[in-house]
Amino acid sequence: MTNRLLLVDDHELVRESIRLALSGLPDIEVVGEASDGLQAVEAAARLQPDVVLMDLAMPCLDGVNATRLVLTSDPAVRIVVWTSAPSGGAQELAALAAGAVAVVYKDSPVDTVIEAIRSAVEVRSV
């Protein structure tokens, strides 16, 4: 089964790097990208991904509020937030309270990001 991923980050280079890192994986397909929280909410409704990799610090609408709105529209979506902020920050905790299933840090190895995406899908199927 291929897991459909929406990639959300306000930096194009970051999105491109993650997309390239995931491109050879048979179980994860990047079905869309968004560069801010408002685009993320719209794209999630339109594309109906299994997982959203959601940046926390973005223009227009931050990752916490975008997480809330995406999950209000489709509670089955699993959201993995990612951030460059230090571990345990208020925004990270707010994202988890809003319904995100995991947090991953931007300085983590790509294998950690991949495992977070895969684990998010497993959370839904349990």
Side-chain angles (χ1 to χ4, degrees):
M1 177 180 164
T2 301
N3 299 299
R4 299 166 42 85
L5 176 73
L6 173 60
L7 182 55
V8 182
D9 195 286
D10 57 328
H11 294 99
E12 183 177 353
L13 182 60
V14 172
R15 291 192 317 271
E16 183 176 327
S17 298
I18 293 297
R19 185 176 8 91
L20 288 172
L22 299 175
S23 66
L25 301 176
D27 61 328
I28 300 173
E29 175 189 5
V30 177
V31 295
E33 297 181 20
S35 62
D36 65 50
L38 291 175
Q39 289 179 7
V41 172
E42 185 277 326
R46 181 173 39 84
L47 299 170
Q48 299 181 320
D50 300 307
V51 180
V52 177
L53 184 60
M54 179 82 73
D55 187 12
L56 284 180
M58 295 183 293
C60 299
L61 184 68
D62 67 21
V64 173
N65 287 308
T67 294
R68 277 192 195 103
L69 291 172
V70 168
L71 291 173
T72 297
S73 176
D74 184 357
V77 173
R78 293 300 173 241
I79 298 182
V80 175
V81 294
W82 71 334
T83 181
S84 56
S87 176
Q91 199 174 27
E92 172 188 325
L93 297 174
L96 291 169
V101 297
V103 175
V104 69
Y105 301 95
K106 290 187 179 182
D107 62 354
S108 299
V110 71
D111 289 345
T112 302
V113 177
I114 292 167
E115 186 55 36
I117 293 166
R118 287 177 173 151
S119 295
V121 174
E122 292 171 14
V123 168
R124 183 184 60 211
S125 63
V126 171

